Amino acid sequence: MKTIAFHTLGCKVNQYDTEAMREAFERAGWKEVPFEQAADAYLINTCTVTGTGDQKSRKLIRRVAREHPAAKLIVCGCLAQREGQSLLEMENVCLVLGVQRRGEVVELFSRAVEQNEKINAVGELKNASFESLFVTRHEGKTRATMKIQEGCDRYCAYCIIPSVRGPVRSMPLEAVRAEAQRLAAAGYPEIVVTGIHLASYGRGTPYGLLDAIEAVHLSARRVRLGSLEPLIVTDAFAQALSRLPGLQRQFHLSMQSGSRDVLRRMRRRYTPEEYFAAVCRLKEAMPDCAITTDVITGFPGETDQEAQETLDFVEKCGFARIHVFPYSRRQGTLADAMPDQVPESIKKIRTKELLTLGNQLEEKFVSGLVGTRQEVLFEEAHGDFSEGYTGQYVRVRAKARPGEIRLVRIGRREGTLAFEDEE
């Protein structure tokens, strides 16, 4: 039996796309093996959101070709969409896909092997439609990711994604409902609803994101949302979410900076005041919810004062967790040509400051759960215990089995890890 191994770099959307291709190869009679083992073929789903993503993707391709010289490589994803021809020229790569035609991956790969040719299947995205990929499971996971939206037209000054993911397009609402039913029937207690720019779901149709969330909620015991644009959080939106008991109370609101001037240079479409209003609406509608976010440090022209404004704003918002990224130049973006690029040494200092504050805020949030009862979905065994996550995505260790969902009384915390009260 022919064997294939898979590796995904980057976001949950990429993970979903890989799962669809994994199932396609399985239906065609291929056997999956772990990525570190010898295989007839390797599929690498790449990321290009940062320069580090590019480097990791290329390094992995070279390593696999060196360690498994007889194997054939398939390279797909965002870096492939951006630099398909150069990737095709790398050793052992015989098929390059971008962010379309993934449903044809088996047929394209078979043709490349049988005809002993290299195929560049990266297509034009200008008029792309939503590619429906068939996913019934997520290997080794207790929660399933469900991509309902593709593409972005925000064109933030630092971001390459609109050019590699293409225009906004959405999974039809009936397909959303059907896939949620399949995943729930397959035994997944939690479904993560995601997309490249989730708030754009349904554009050009009579439906919106709330319709899709409600459709998934009909089938899934627990529903978790991917990253949200803060401006979608109106009073009506927050109140509607609060009426869905299975919706997990963790909301990732994309922020990037707490400085009005930096946000303007980034071409973000909200002010700190509008962002904070979204935070307040969610907390008023669901007082126990967790708000998480992303922050970019060292954006071109960022002054010490603007960096301090971000620190102050992060503390004001009281985030449960923050992800911090030093600004990464991307050729082809507006920010790449901006003056006053911030030195790496200063980015490192500002990143460390934000990470320190973020850890303090996360510990404070977890401390606030001590003494409360939380529903936990357990995922990984740790000796006699298992670890899982509350609705607010707080990690909990207790005596339980992976896959089990039960109420846990939080007794204490160590760092950002919570423990069940054993009394």
Side-chain angles (χ1 to χ4, degrees):
M1 180 179 287
K2 296 171 291 187
T3 57
I4 186 168
F6 300 85
H7 189 89
T8 306
L9 296 109
C11 63
K12 284 186 172 63
V13 172
N14 259 15
Q15 293 169 16
Y16 177 94
D17 295 340
T18 299
E19 185 56 52
M21 291 184 282
R22 174 185 284 116
E23 291 191 30
F25 273 98
E26 183 181 89
R27 291 193 297 273
W30 288 69
K31 178 185 177 182
E32 182 185 0
V33 298
F35 193 77
E36 297 304 324
Q37 290 186 15
D40 298 310
Y42 293 83
L43 186 149
I44 299 171
N45 201 351
T46 63
C47 176
T48 192
V49 71
T50 65
T52 301
D54 287 0
Q55 294 166 12
K56 285 183 177 179
S57 297
R58 287 183 175 278
K59 182 178 180 181
L60 186 60
I61 294 166
R62 286 192 293 267
R63 178 170 70 81
V64 172
R66 182 177 66 251
E67 294 179 357
H68 306 285
K72 302 291 187 181
L73 274 64
I74 305 163
V75 180
C76 53
C78 290
L79 180 60
Q81 183 69 38
R82 188 177 179 216
E83 300 182 14
Q85 190 56 42
S86 67
L87 294 175
L88 193 65
E89 293 167 2
M90 295 181 72
E91 196 74 24
N92 288 29
V93 176
C94 68
L95 172 63
V96 174
L97 294 167
V99 297
Q100 290 286 100
R101 304 187 71 183
R102 289 154 302 192
E104 304 172 52
V105 62
V106 176
E107 292 80 5
L108 289 166
F109 180 63
S110 297
R111 192 177 90 197
V113 173
E114 290 167 5
Q115 299 180 8
N116 193 29
E117 64 176 321
K118 287 174 170 276
I119 296 178
N120 184 346
V122 176
E124 170 63 46
L125 294 176
K126 185 177 180 180
N127 297 310
S129 59
F130 186 83
E131 183 181 24
S132 294
L133 298 173
F134 191 76
V135 174
T136 61
R137 69 176 193 278
H138 290 259
E139 202 67 40
K141 304 289 185 182
T142 53
R143 65 168 64 90
T145 298
M146 184 173 167
K147 183 182 75 173
I148 67 168
Q149 185 276 335
E150 179 69 272
C152 181
D153 62 359
R154 301 283 98 176
Y155 287 96
C156 298
Y158 53 83
C159 188
I160 197 68
I161 293 303
S163 66
V164 296
R165 280 286 177 174
V168 169
R169 50 223 194 262
S170 304
M171 178 187 283
L173 189 60
E174 282 305 311
V176 171
R177 188 174 291 113
E179 184 155 329
Q181 290 170 348
R182 283 199 303 270
L183 292 171
Y188 292 99
E190 182 173 306
I191 296 176
V192 182
V193 178
T194 191
I196 295 298
H197 189 258
L198 196 56
S200 295
Y201 175 83
R203 185 183 297 171
T205 77
Y207 308 108
L209 178 58
L210 192 57
D211 297 300
I213 296 169
E214 290 172 343
V216 177
H217 189 268
L218 287 172
S219 297
R221 175 169 174 175
R222 288 164 57 120
V223 181
R224 195 177 295 278
L225 301 182
S227 181
L228 294 174
E229 182 86 7
L231 292 181
I232 198 175
V233 185
T234 61
D235 286 330
F237 185 82
Q239 290 298 326
L241 295 183
S242 73
R243 292 191 288 270
L244 300 176
L247 184 71
Q248 302 305 283
R249 275 33 179 176
Q250 179 240 336
F251 303 101
H252 191 86
L253 294 185
S254 180
M255 186 185 85
Q256 312 310 349
S257 176
S259 165
R260 175 186 286 266
D261 289 339
V262 173
L263 288 173
R264 178 180 50 79
R265 295 199 300 276
M266 286 179 168
R267 297 186 68 180
R268 301 294 285 178
R269 303 188 185 195
Y270 50 83
T271 64
E273 292 77 16
E274 289 170 326
Y275 185 98
F276 187 66
V279 171
C280 292
R281 290 185 187 110
L282 288 170
K283 289 185 175 181
E284 287 167 7
M286 294 161 280
D288 62 337
C289 76
I291 311 294
T292 62
T293 199
D294 300 316
V295 185
I296 294 174
T297 62
F299 187 75
E302 184 183 59
T303 64
D304 289 342
Q305 179 181 337
E306 290 168 341
Q308 186 61 50
E309 288 171 2
T310 293
L311 281 166
D312 294 341
F313 190 70
V314 165
E315 190 162 15
K316 176 182 177 181
C317 289
F319 293 112
R321 179 183 295 122
I322 64 173
H323 302 282
V324 185
F325 304 93
Y327 165 71
S328 176
R329 296 181 74 164
R330 311 305 292 131
Q331 188 177 2
T333 63
L334 287 172
D336 182 50
M338 285 182 176
D340 302 321
Q341 297 285 330
V342 176
E344 293 298 320
S345 58
I346 294 178
K347 290 182 193 177
K348 288 181 180 179
I349 292 171
R350 292 176 182 171
T351 297
K352 184 177 180 180
E353 290 174 340
L354 272 167
L355 287 172
T356 299
L357 175 58
N359 191 63
Q360 293 169 354
L361 291 173
E362 187 173 357
E363 289 184 355
K364 180 179 179 180
F365 185 85
V366 177
S367 292
L369 296 184
V370 173
T372 68
R373 291 189 179 276
Q374 301 292 329
E375 184 184 81
V376 178
L377 168 58
F378 290 96
E379 300 185 18
E380 295 182 0
H382 287 262
D384 295 332
F385 298 85
S386 287
E387 288 186 5
Y389 291 88
T390 69
Q392 303 96 329
Y393 211 67
V394 169
R395 191 161 52 105
V396 176
R397 182 175 294 182
K399 286 189 175 180
R401 300 182 306 276
E404 179 182 1
I405 298 178
R406 68 176 179 84
L407 281 174
V408 172
R409 187 177 188 278
I410 307 299
R412 61 187 177 89
R413 73 157 178 88
E414 291 181 10
T416 58
L417 175 63
F419 291 81
E420 181 178 24
D421 188 345
E422 298 179 5
E423 293 183 4

